[in-house]
Amino acid sequence: MKVRPKPLVLKKYEILISRLKRNFPRFNEVTREYQKRKRGYEGEIQVDYHLAFLPQQFLILRDICLHVSHRTFQMGNLIFSQNALFIVEVKNYQGTIIFDTILDQFTRDDGQMETGFNHPISQTELQRYNLQQWLQERNFATIPIYAFTAISDPSTIIKVDGDKDKIAKVVAHGSSIPRKIMHFNKQLSAHDSLGDRKIGTMVQKESKEYDMDIMKRYDVKMSDLLPGVKCPACKFLGMERIYNKWQCRKCHHCSSNAHKQAIDDYMLFGNNWITNSICRWWLQINSKNTVTRLLKKSSLRYNAKRRRWEK
């Protein structure tokens, strides 16, 4: 399998963290959420390594985002065989995690404090229900769907208070998930709706990249962000435009097109257009003509009526 691409929302958080002014009131909250999503992505890559050992008869689709009954639902991994569908949701926890089947709660103990989290099994069961609804809306017959929770870090200790067999059926470290999938798959017979992989094709067609307006979520204004061009070598924010090139004031690296990433960053924050004056502020350039030349070489198109550059 190809390397899992970095999610769009994680990219947004990376850019936001690098440009958000440190005195922004919710800066720490943004940082915590970024770290959480970064750990999640790293955990998914770890589990991808193990899923790659599934036989070629299995089709693996990743980062699926579908719409059903006026709501959107996501699945980290959706795996197809000719017998069933398998949802694999990845969790990246450190320390000890405890499943309490008596009180139906989930906690983590990192050695310093015990913290409660949303129950991962409840989350995967909701995904399974949503997928069933999605299939029913498209007139597919009832198809066996199994949902698993993969714990990405092999050093994480899994404990159970109560029914261990119940948890062991659907929760395991990432290295054990392929074996569980093959075990369940062998117990089933081929399903007519899965024979020609029509469902897989439809899922790929209808799946959209999950997106979120993080500027709106944290009430971030463009004035809360630091403008400038980021050095592609050392990531320093504040390259200077010198003789048709960008030069880093920190490591002295030179680039002819470092501004392209800066413009992409601006657009990624939900902006569908940019004016010459805004672009001069964003790139920290005084020359109107220089910015015009740079924008002409970009992928944006000029709207003469509104005098702005648009996607």
PDB file of all heavy atoms in Angstrom, residues 263-264 266-267 271-275 279 294-303 308-311:
ATOM      1  N   ILE A 263       1.136  30.982  -0.172  1.00  0.00           N
ATOM      2  CA  ILE A 263      -0.170  31.257  -0.783  1.00  0.00           C
ATOM      3  C   ILE A 263      -1.111  30.072  -0.568  1.00  0.00           C
ATOM      4  O   ILE A 263      -2.300  30.250  -0.261  1.00  0.00           O
ATOM      5  CB  ILE A 263      -0.018  31.568  -2.283  1.00  0.00           C
ATOM      6  CG1 ILE A 263       0.762  32.877  -2.470  1.00  0.00           C
ATOM      7  CG2 ILE A 263      -1.380  31.676  -2.962  1.00  0.00           C
ATOM      8  CD1 ILE A 263       1.091  33.204  -3.911  1.00  0.00           C
ATOM      9  N   ASP A 264      -0.578  28.856  -0.707  1.00  0.00           N
ATOM     10  CA  ASP A 264      -1.382  27.657  -0.449  1.00  0.00           C
ATOM     11  C   ASP A 264      -1.868  27.647   0.994  1.00  0.00           C
ATOM     12  O   ASP A 264      -3.009  27.255   1.274  1.00  0.00           O
ATOM     13  CB  ASP A 264      -0.582  26.393  -0.741  1.00  0.00           C
ATOM     14  CG  ASP A 264      -0.363  26.166  -2.230  1.00  0.00           C
ATOM     15  OD1 ASP A 264      -1.073  26.802  -3.037  1.00  0.00           O
ATOM     16  OD2 ASP A 264       0.514  25.351  -2.583  1.00  0.00           O
ATOM     17  N   TYR A 266      -2.481  30.199   2.903  1.00  0.00           N
ATOM     18  CA  TYR A 266      -3.543  31.191   3.036  1.00  0.00           C
ATOM     19  C   TYR A 266      -4.869  30.621   2.529  1.00  0.00           C
ATOM     20  O   TYR A 266      -5.918  30.779   3.179  1.00  0.00           O
ATOM     21  CB  TYR A 266      -3.177  32.452   2.249  1.00  0.00           C
ATOM     22  CG  TYR A 266      -4.192  33.565   2.373  1.00  0.00           C
ATOM     23  CD1 TYR A 266      -4.127  34.468   3.423  1.00  0.00           C
ATOM     24  CD2 TYR A 266      -5.220  33.705   1.442  1.00  0.00           C
ATOM     25  CE1 TYR A 266      -5.069  35.493   3.551  1.00  0.00           C
ATOM     26  CE2 TYR A 266      -6.162  34.722   1.554  1.00  0.00           C
ATOM     27  CZ  TYR A 266      -6.077  35.611   2.615  1.00  0.00           C
ATOM     28  OH  TYR A 266      -7.018  36.608   2.739  1.00  0.00           O
ATOM     29  N   MET A 267      -4.827  29.954   1.390  1.00  0.00           N
ATOM     30  CA  MET A 267      -6.040  29.383   0.810  1.00  0.00           C
ATOM     31  C   MET A 267      -6.580  28.226   1.651  1.00  0.00           C
ATOM     32  O   MET A 267      -7.789  27.985   1.707  1.00  0.00           O
ATOM     33  CB  MET A 267      -5.756  28.895  -0.610  1.00  0.00           C
ATOM     34  CG  MET A 267      -5.428  30.009  -1.590  1.00  0.00           C
ATOM     35  SD  MET A 267      -6.841  31.134  -1.779  1.00  0.00           S
ATOM     36  CE  MET A 267      -6.120  32.403  -2.819  1.00  0.00           C
ATOM     37  N   ASN A 271      -9.965  30.412   2.655  1.00  0.00           N
ATOM     38  CA  ASN A 271     -10.057  31.576   1.781  1.00  0.00           C
ATOM     39  C   ASN A 271     -10.056  31.130   0.325  1.00  0.00           C
ATOM     40  O   ASN A 271      -9.134  30.439  -0.114  1.00  0.00           O
ATOM     41  CB  ASN A 271      -8.867  32.509   2.036  1.00  0.00           C
ATOM     42  CG  ASN A 271      -8.790  32.945   3.491  1.00  0.00           C
ATOM     43  OD1 ASN A 271      -9.711  33.551   4.013  1.00  0.00           O
ATOM     44  ND2 ASN A 271      -7.700  32.613   4.150  1.00  0.00           N
ATOM     45  N   ASN A 272     -11.060  31.496  -0.416  1.00  0.00           N
ATOM     46  CA  ASN A 272     -11.162  31.094  -1.821  1.00  0.00           C
ATOM     47  C   ASN A 272     -10.603  32.148  -2.770  1.00  0.00           C
ATOM     48  O   ASN A 272     -10.588  31.940  -3.976  1.00  0.00           O
ATOM     49  CB  ASN A 272     -12.619  30.801  -2.178  1.00  0.00           C
ATOM     50  CG  ASN A 272     -13.152  29.601  -1.435  1.00  0.00           C
ATOM     51  OD1 ASN A 272     -12.471  28.596  -1.303  1.00  0.00           O
ATOM     52  ND2 ASN A 272     -14.367  29.706  -0.927  1.00  0.00           N
ATOM     53  N   TRP A 273     -10.162  33.276  -2.214  1.00  0.00           N
ATOM     54  CA  TRP A 273      -9.623  34.329  -3.058  1.00  0.00           C
ATOM     55  C   TRP A 273      -8.645  35.176  -2.257  1.00  0.00           C
ATOM     56  O   TRP A 273      -8.622  35.133  -1.023  1.00  0.00           O
ATOM     57  CB  TRP A 273     -10.749  35.204  -3.614  1.00  0.00           C
ATOM     58  CG  TRP A 273     -11.662  35.795  -2.575  1.00  0.00           C
ATOM     59  CD1 TRP A 273     -12.834  35.247  -2.096  1.00  0.00           C
ATOM     60  CD2 TRP A 273     -11.461  37.012  -1.853  1.00  0.00           C
ATOM     61  NE1 TRP A 273     -13.379  36.062  -1.134  1.00  0.00           N
ATOM     62  CE2 TRP A 273     -12.561  37.163  -0.961  1.00  0.00           C
ATOM     63  CE3 TRP A 273     -10.492  38.003  -1.865  1.00  0.00           C
ATOM     64  CZ2 TRP A 273     -12.693  38.241  -0.099  1.00  0.00           C
ATOM     65  CZ3 TRP A 273     -10.607  39.089  -1.016  1.00  0.00           C
ATOM     66  CH2 TRP A 273     -11.711  39.198  -0.144  1.00  0.00           C
ATOM     67  N   ILE A 274      -7.845  35.951  -2.989  1.00  0.00           N
ATOM     68  CA  ILE A 274      -6.885  36.840  -2.357  1.00  0.00           C
ATOM     69  C   ILE A 274      -6.669  38.045  -3.274  1.00  0.00           C
ATOM     70  O   ILE A 274      -6.653  37.901  -4.505  1.00  0.00           O
ATOM     71  CB  ILE A 274      -5.548  36.121  -2.075  1.00  0.00           C
ATOM     72  CG1 ILE A 274      -4.629  36.981  -1.206  1.00  0.00           C
ATOM     73  CG2 ILE A 274      -4.841  35.731  -3.379  1.00  0.00           C
ATOM     74  CD1 ILE A 274      -3.413  36.224  -0.672  1.00  0.00           C
ATOM     75  N   THR A 275      -6.545  39.231  -2.710  1.00  0.00           N
ATOM     76  CA  THR A 275      -6.271  40.432  -3.491  1.00  0.00           C
ATOM     77  C   THR A 275      -4.772  40.715  -3.483  1.00  0.00           C
ATOM     78  O   THR A 275      -4.024  40.133  -2.689  1.00  0.00           O
ATOM     79  CB  THR A 275      -7.007  41.643  -2.910  1.00  0.00           C
ATOM     80  OG1 THR A 275      -6.507  41.911  -1.593  1.00  0.00           O
ATOM     81  CG2 THR A 275      -8.505  41.396  -2.848  1.00  0.00           C
ATOM     82  N   CYS A 279      -2.186  39.927  -0.433  1.00  0.00           N
ATOM     83  CA  CYS A 279      -1.040  39.072  -0.743  1.00  0.00           C
ATOM     84  C   CYS A 279       0.271  39.776  -0.391  1.00  0.00           C
ATOM     85  O   CYS A 279       1.219  39.134   0.069  1.00  0.00           O
ATOM     86  CB  CYS A 279      -1.063  38.677  -2.215  1.00  0.00           C
ATOM     87  SG  CYS A 279       0.056  37.328  -2.625  1.00  0.00           S
ATOM     88  N   LEU A 294       4.011  37.205  -9.323  1.00  0.00           N
ATOM     89  CA  LEU A 294       3.966  35.930  -8.585  1.00  0.00           C
ATOM     90  C   LEU A 294       2.586  35.279  -8.701  1.00  0.00           C
ATOM     91  O   LEU A 294       2.481  34.055  -8.853  1.00  0.00           O
ATOM     92  CB  LEU A 294       4.319  36.167  -7.119  1.00  0.00           C
ATOM     93  CG  LEU A 294       5.745  36.640  -6.830  1.00  0.00           C
ATOM     94  CD1 LEU A 294       5.939  36.866  -5.335  1.00  0.00           C
ATOM     95  CD2 LEU A 294       6.774  35.642  -7.345  1.00  0.00           C
ATOM     96  N   LEU A 295       1.542  36.085  -8.623  1.00  0.00           N
ATOM     97  CA  LEU A 295       0.185  35.540  -8.698  1.00  0.00           C
ATOM     98  C   LEU A 295      -0.131  35.030 -10.104  1.00  0.00           C
ATOM     99  O   LEU A 295      -0.861  34.044 -10.259  1.00  0.00           O
ATOM    100  CB  LEU A 295      -0.832  36.609  -8.287  1.00  0.00           C
ATOM    101  CG  LEU A 295      -0.878  36.935  -6.791  1.00  0.00           C
ATOM    102  CD1 LEU A 295      -1.752  38.163  -6.525  1.00  0.00           C
ATOM    103  CD2 LEU A 295      -1.383  35.742  -5.992  1.00  0.00           C
ATOM    104  N   LYS A 296       0.431  35.673 -11.128  1.00  0.00           N
ATOM    105  CA  LYS A 296       0.208  35.219 -12.494  1.00  0.00           C
ATOM    106  C   LYS A 296       0.799  33.822 -12.728  1.00  0.00           C
ATOM    107  O   LYS A 296       0.293  33.061 -13.545  1.00  0.00           O
ATOM    108  CB  LYS A 296       0.816  36.212 -13.483  1.00  0.00           C
ATOM    109  CG  LYS A 296      -0.014  37.468 -13.710  1.00  0.00           C
ATOM    110  CD  LYS A 296       0.633  38.378 -14.743  1.00  0.00           C
ATOM    111  CE  LYS A 296      -0.239  39.595 -15.038  1.00  0.00           C
ATOM    112  NZ  LYS A 296       0.393  40.502 -16.043  1.00  0.00           N
ATOM    113  N   LYS A 297       1.865  33.522 -12.000  1.00  0.00           N
ATOM    114  CA  LYS A 297       2.514  32.221 -12.143  1.00  0.00           C
ATOM    115  C   LYS A 297       1.898  31.156 -11.227  1.00  0.00           C
ATOM    116  O   LYS A 297       2.296  30.001 -11.266  1.00  0.00           O
ATOM    117  CB  LYS A 297       4.009  32.350 -11.835  1.00  0.00           C
ATOM    118  CG  LYS A 297       4.772  33.214 -12.829  1.00  0.00           C
ATOM    119  CD  LYS A 297       6.238  33.315 -12.435  1.00  0.00           C
ATOM    120  CE  LYS A 297       7.006  34.197 -13.413  1.00  0.00           C
ATOM    121  NZ  LYS A 297       8.441  34.319 -13.027  1.00  0.00           N
ATOM    122  N   SER A 298       0.937  31.560 -10.404  1.00  0.00           N
ATOM    123  CA  SER A 298       0.271  30.616  -9.500  1.00  0.00           C
ATOM    124  C   SER A 298      -0.861  29.901 -10.229  1.00  0.00           C
ATOM    125  O   SER A 298      -1.138  30.170 -11.407  1.00  0.00           O
ATOM    126  CB  SER A 298      -0.279  31.348  -8.275  1.00  0.00           C
ATOM    127  OG  SER A 298      -1.410  32.133  -8.627  1.00  0.00           O
ATOM    128  N   SER A 299      -1.546  29.016  -9.519  1.00  0.00           N
ATOM    129  CA  SER A 299      -2.678  28.280 -10.096  1.00  0.00           C
ATOM    130  C   SER A 299      -3.983  29.059  -9.982  1.00  0.00           C
ATOM    131  O   SER A 299      -5.041  28.566 -10.387  1.00  0.00           O
ATOM    132  CB  SER A 299      -2.827  26.924  -9.390  1.00  0.00           C
ATOM    133  OG  SER A 299      -3.048  27.108  -7.995  1.00  0.00           O
ATOM    134  N   LEU A 300      -3.925  30.263  -9.417  1.00  0.00           N
ATOM    135  CA  LEU A 300      -5.124  31.080  -9.258  1.00  0.00           C
ATOM    136  C   LEU A 300      -5.463  31.809 -10.550  1.00  0.00           C
ATOM    137  O   LEU A 300      -4.590  32.062 -11.379  1.00  0.00           O
ATOM    138  CB  LEU A 300      -4.912  32.095  -8.130  1.00  0.00           C
ATOM    139  CG  LEU A 300      -4.512  31.533  -6.766  1.00  0.00           C
ATOM    140  CD1 LEU A 300      -4.269  32.664  -5.778  1.00  0.00           C
ATOM    141  CD2 LEU A 300      -5.586  30.581  -6.232  1.00  0.00           C
ATOM    142  N   ARG A 301      -6.724  32.128 -10.715  1.00  0.00           N
ATOM    143  CA  ARG A 301      -7.157  32.872 -11.903  1.00  0.00           C
ATOM    144  C   ARG A 301      -7.644  34.253 -11.466  1.00  0.00           C
ATOM    145  O   ARG A 301      -8.227  34.414 -10.383  1.00  0.00           O
ATOM    146  CB  ARG A 301      -8.266  32.127 -12.642  1.00  0.00           C
ATOM    147  CG  ARG A 301      -9.517  31.888 -11.835  1.00  0.00           C
ATOM    148  CD  ARG A 301     -10.589  31.151 -12.641  1.00  0.00           C
ATOM    149  NE  ARG A 301     -11.786  30.929 -11.846  1.00  0.00           N
ATOM    150  CZ  ARG A 301     -12.743  31.827 -11.652  1.00  0.00           C
ATOM    151  NH1 ARG A 301     -12.630  33.019 -12.198  1.00  0.00           N
ATOM    152  NH2 ARG A 301     -13.804  31.541 -10.929  1.00  0.00           N
ATOM    153  N   TYR A 302      -7.414  35.224 -12.316  1.00  0.00           N
ATOM    154  CA  TYR A 302      -7.756  36.604 -11.962  1.00  0.00           C
ATOM    155  C   TYR A 302      -9.187  36.927 -12.348  1.00  0.00           C
ATOM    156  O   TYR A 302      -9.617  36.699 -13.482  1.00  0.00           O
ATOM    157  CB  TYR A 302      -6.811  37.582 -12.658  1.00  0.00           C
ATOM    158  CG  TYR A 302      -7.026  39.016 -12.252  1.00  0.00           C
ATOM    159  CD1 TYR A 302      -6.829  39.426 -10.930  1.00  0.00           C
ATOM    160  CD2 TYR A 302      -7.436  39.968 -13.187  1.00  0.00           C
ATOM    161  CE1 TYR A 302      -7.032  40.748 -10.553  1.00  0.00           C
ATOM    162  CE2 TYR A 302      -7.630  41.296 -12.814  1.00  0.00           C
ATOM    163  CZ  TYR A 302      -7.436  41.673 -11.492  1.00  0.00           C
ATOM    164  OH  TYR A 302      -7.632  42.983 -11.116  1.00  0.00           O
ATOM    165  N   ASN A 303      -9.957  37.454 -11.403  1.00  0.00           N
ATOM    166  CA  ASN A 303     -11.322  37.915 -11.643  1.00  0.00           C
ATOM    167  C   ASN A 303     -11.265  39.432 -11.788  1.00  0.00           C
ATOM    168  O   ASN A 303     -11.181  40.174 -10.805  1.00  0.00           O
ATOM    169  CB  ASN A 303     -12.226  37.515 -10.460  1.00  0.00           C
ATOM    170  CG  ASN A 303     -13.685  37.852 -10.709  1.00  0.00           C
ATOM    171  OD1 ASN A 303     -14.008  38.845 -11.366  1.00  0.00           O
ATOM    172  ND2 ASN A 303     -14.580  37.022 -10.170  1.00  0.00           N
ATOM    173  N   ARG A 308      -9.609  40.439  -7.983  1.00  0.00           N
ATOM    174  CA  ARG A 308      -8.996  39.536  -7.023  1.00  0.00           C
ATOM    175  C   ARG A 308      -8.632  38.218  -7.692  1.00  0.00           C
ATOM    176  O   ARG A 308      -9.112  37.911  -8.787  1.00  0.00           O
ATOM    177  CB  ARG A 308      -9.946  39.273  -5.848  1.00  0.00           C
ATOM    178  CG  ARG A 308     -11.214  38.522  -6.223  1.00  0.00           C
ATOM    179  CD  ARG A 308     -12.191  38.469  -5.063  1.00  0.00           C
ATOM    180  NE  ARG A 308     -13.284  37.532  -5.310  1.00  0.00           N
ATOM    181  CZ  ARG A 308     -14.330  37.369  -4.497  1.00  0.00           C
ATOM    182  NH1 ARG A 308     -14.416  38.108  -3.396  1.00  0.00           N
ATOM    183  NH2 ARG A 308     -15.268  36.490  -4.777  1.00  0.00           N
ATOM    184  N   TRP A 309      -7.793  37.445  -7.047  1.00  0.00           N
ATOM    185  CA  TRP A 309      -7.347  36.156  -7.565  1.00  0.00           C
ATOM    186  C   TRP A 309      -8.096  35.042  -6.851  1.00  0.00           C
ATOM    187  O   TRP A 309      -8.193  35.043  -5.613  1.00  0.00           O
ATOM    188  CB  TRP A 309      -5.835  36.013  -7.364  1.00  0.00           C
ATOM    189  CG  TRP A 309      -5.056  37.059  -8.117  1.00  0.00           C
ATOM    190  CD1 TRP A 309      -4.818  38.345  -7.731  1.00  0.00           C
ATOM    191  CD2 TRP A 309      -4.465  36.904  -9.396  1.00  0.00           C
ATOM    192  NE1 TRP A 309      -4.100  39.012  -8.693  1.00  0.00           N
ATOM    193  CE2 TRP A 309      -3.854  38.145  -9.748  1.00  0.00           C
ATOM    194  CE3 TRP A 309      -4.351  35.840 -10.308  1.00  0.00           C
ATOM    195  CZ2 TRP A 309      -3.179  38.357 -10.920  1.00  0.00           C
ATOM    196  CZ3 TRP A 309      -3.675  36.044 -11.490  1.00  0.00           C
ATOM    197  CH2 TRP A 309      -3.089  37.281 -11.797  1.00  0.00           C
ATOM    198  N   GLU A 310      -8.639  34.099  -7.637  1.00  0.00           N
ATOM    199  CA  GLU A 310      -9.519  33.074  -7.066  1.00  0.00           C
ATOM    200  C   GLU A 310      -9.035  31.671  -7.422  1.00  0.00           C
ATOM    201  O   GLU A 310      -8.293  31.482  -8.369  1.00  0.00           O
ATOM    202  CB  GLU A 310     -10.948  33.279  -7.594  1.00  0.00           C
ATOM    203  CG  GLU A 310     -11.525  34.651  -7.274  1.00  0.00           C
ATOM    204  CD  GLU A 310     -12.885  34.880  -7.936  1.00  0.00           C
ATOM    205  OE1 GLU A 310     -13.239  34.101  -8.840  1.00  0.00           O
ATOM    206  OE2 GLU A 310     -13.571  35.850  -7.533  1.00  0.00           O
ATOM    207  N   LYS A 311      -9.516  30.725  -6.639  1.00  0.00           N
ATOM    208  CA  LYS A 311      -9.196  29.314  -6.901  1.00  0.00           C
ATOM    209  C   LYS A 311      -9.847  28.870  -8.197  1.00  0.00           C
ATOM    210  O   LYS A 311     -10.948  29.285  -8.517  1.00  0.00           O
ATOM    211  CB  LYS A 311      -9.712  28.422  -5.750  1.00  0.00           C
ATOM    212  CG  LYS A 311      -8.856  28.476  -4.497  1.00  0.00           C
ATOM    213  CD  LYS A 311      -9.360  27.466  -3.485  1.00  0.00           C
ATOM    214  CE  LYS A 311      -8.505  27.461  -2.239  1.00  0.00           C
ATOM    215  NZ  LYS A 311      -8.972  26.480  -1.243  1.00  0.00           N
TER     216      LYS A 311
END
